[in-house]
């Protein structure tokens, strides 16, 4: 797979390490020139990641995903992810093209690609990894090239984006990708539950009520939620709370008791136990070590 032309184009828009917005809405370039020593935590967004150079490892729950310039990753929903760049250097930095997924446009394109009915699959994952598609690489290269052609970009960019969606839907992971835009799919329902949890993680949560909220049976909700996030709903909520508490203690200088209550715990001892199991250190000691490192 020849990704060198794409890498050369991306380098022009990312002259140094960092995340850069392109003139095309929803399209960005990420550059890193050294391997990450520790994983960086963030939230994934539905989108296509095309690596032109280097390699990355993403960890969601207990699942580990790796991809490089020979593969392509499609993030299907918003979930907490720990990521590390595992192949990069000053001479050959990690270069990744990120294209946000327009779910409405994907749904419209899917109806054209599958005019006799959208395919269904029982498989749902937060990341779909597939072999790099030369047609998508070539279309992505043309897309970046259009950034500098302001007189025609408004006319041609939507056409190239549609081509990328078509190629993606026709690829061997197309049946998985189409679930992102399928109204009422298990993926969309679980995504709605994830959004609710992220907005309300400090509140008490009953799994049966959350399943009812997204119109799923409890058993189906449990099964598909874990398939997509690698966690149970309660584990997911706990992780959101613990990471937010750590962030508050580091950035807002909150003490353990205040941070604990702020994220929804009613017991400091329970919070300390769960924090210690998750991060490997009691909260006070963990924050002290991180503060010294900073």
């Amino acid at each position: 797979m020849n990704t060198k032309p794409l890498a050369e184009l991306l380098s022009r828009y990312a002259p140094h390490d960092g995340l850069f917005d392109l003139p095309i809405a929803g399209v960005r370039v990420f550059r890193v020139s050294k391997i990450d020593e520790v994983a960086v935590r963030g939230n994934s967004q539905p989108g296509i990641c095309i690596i032109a150079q280097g390699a990355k490892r993403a960890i969601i729950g207990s699942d580990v995903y790796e991809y490089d310039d020979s593969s392509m990753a499609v993030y299907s929903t918003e979930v907490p992810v720990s990521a590390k760049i595992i192949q990069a250097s000053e001479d050959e930095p990690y270069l990744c093209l990120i294209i946000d997924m327009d779910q409405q446009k994907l749904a419209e394109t899917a109806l054209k690609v599958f005019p006799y009915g959208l395919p269904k699959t029982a498989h749902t994952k937060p990341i779909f990894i597939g072999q790099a598609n030369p047609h998508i690489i070539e279309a992505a290269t043309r897309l970046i090239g259009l950034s500098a052609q302001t007189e025609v970009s408004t006319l041609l960019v939507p056409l190239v984006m549609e081509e990328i969606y078509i190629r993606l839907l026709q690829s061997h992971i197309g049946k998985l990708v189409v679930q992102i835009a399928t109204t009422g799919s298990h993926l969309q329902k679980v995504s709605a539950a994830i959004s609710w949890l992220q907005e309300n993680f400090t509140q008490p949560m009953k799994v049966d009520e959350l399943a009812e909220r997204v119109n799923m049976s409890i058993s189906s909700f449990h099964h598909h939620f874990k398939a997509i996030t690698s966690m149970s709903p309660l584990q997911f909520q706990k992780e959101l709370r613990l990471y937010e508490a750590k962030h508050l203690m580091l950035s807002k200088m909150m003490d353990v008791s205040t941070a604990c209550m702020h994220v929804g715990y009613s017991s400091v001892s329970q919070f300390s136990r769960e924090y210690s199991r998750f991060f490997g250190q009691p909260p006070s000691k963990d924050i002290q070590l991180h503060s010294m490192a900073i």
Side-chain angles (χ1 to χ4, degrees):
M1 185 71 60
N2 182 17
T3 58
K4 188 174 180 179
L6 179 60
E8 291 175 350
L9 274 176
L10 296 183
S11 294
R12 299 177 193 174
Y13 288 95
H16 53 80
D17 287 0
L19 184 65
F20 300 85
D21 290 321
L22 268 67
I24 302 170
V27 181
R28 300 181 301 282
V29 183
F30 185 45
R31 173 178 175 147
V32 179
S33 57
K34 62 180 181 179
I35 294 172
D36 288 326
E37 296 295 329
V38 296
V40 178
R41 185 182 181 275
N43 286 332
S44 67
Q45 298 291 336
I48 307 167
C49 293
I50 301 172
I51 295 181
Q53 200 166 260
K56 178 179 179 178
R57 176 182 299 133
I59 303 171
I60 298 176
S62 58
D63 292 339
V64 179
Y65 305 85
E66 291 188 1
Y67 51 100
D68 55 20
D69 60 2
S70 68
S71 52
M72 181 174 55
V74 177
Y75 284 78
S76 64
T77 188
E78 185 177 359
V79 291
V81 56
S82 296
K84 288 182 69 174
I85 304 305
I86 57 175
Q87 182 183 325
S89 67
E90 290 287 347
D91 293 334
E92 294 188 351
Y94 171 86
L95 290 166
C96 179
L97 177 66
I98 303 167
I99 303 174
D100 291 344
M101 191 75 76
D102 183 333
Q103 296 190 41
Q104 180 61 39
K105 184 62 179 177
L106 182 66
E108 293 171 359
T109 307
L111 293 175
K112 298 177 184 178
V113 176
F114 305 107
Y116 302 108
L118 300 179
K120 295 182 180 180
T121 177
H123 302 290
T124 49
K125 286 287 183 181
I127 307 178
F128 306 136
I129 306 290
Q131 185 177 359
N133 185 311
H135 299 297
I136 293 178
I137 299 296
E138 193 271 334
T141 305
R142 281 189 282 112
L143 181 70
I144 304 307
L146 286 171
S147 298
Q149 302 176 35
T150 54
E151 69 281 1
V152 295
S153 62
T154 54
L155 296 174
L156 295 180
V157 164
L159 300 179
V160 179
M161 286 297 300
E162 184 174 35
E163 178 187 350
I164 291 173
Y165 285 162
I166 291 171
R167 300 284 191 186
L168 186 62
L169 290 166
Q170 289 182 331
S171 73
H172 65 287
I173 61 172
K175 290 183 179 180
L176 300 172
V177 173
V178 78
Q179 305 306 311
I180 300 173
T182 303
T183 302
S185 69
H186 292 132
L187 178 57
Q188 280 210 345
K189 290 179 178 180
V190 170
S191 294
I194 289 171
S195 295
W196 187 91
L197 280 170
Q198 289 175 327
E199 293 171 5
N200 302 276
F201 66 87
T202 63
Q203 305 301 315
M205 185 265 292
K206 293 183 179 179
V207 176
D208 57 343
E209 292 179 356
L210 186 54
E212 184 178 2
R213 177 182 290 273
V214 295
N215 197 28
M216 296 180 74
S217 68
I218 297 176
S219 60
S220 178
F221 179 65
H222 264 292
H223 172 75
H224 291 287
F225 193 98
K226 190 162 188 178
I228 291 169
T229 66
S230 299
M231 291 174 272
S232 70
L234 289 173
Q235 288 171 321
F236 189 91
Q237 182 193 47
K238 183 190 298 183
E239 183 169 317
L240 291 174
R241 286 180 168 183
L242 292 174
Y243 270 114
E244 177 63 13
K246 184 170 185 173
H247 169 73
L248 292 172
M249 288 185 286
L250 281 171
S251 64
K252 305 293 185 182
M253 305 300 290
M254 280 190 185
D255 59 64
V256 174
S257 297
T258 304
C260 157
M261 301 303 175
H262 193 86
V263 299
Y265 279 89
S266 57
S267 166
V268 177
S269 59
Q270 180 188 357
F271 168 74
S272 297
R273 285 195 304 272
E274 294 185 354
Y275 190 103
S276 299
R277 281 197 295 266
F278 191 73
F279 290 112
Q281 300 279 4
S284 297
K285 185 175 181 180
D286 186 48
I287 297 306
Q288 183 181 20
L289 290 172
H290 276 80
S291 298
M292 290 173 61
I294 296 171

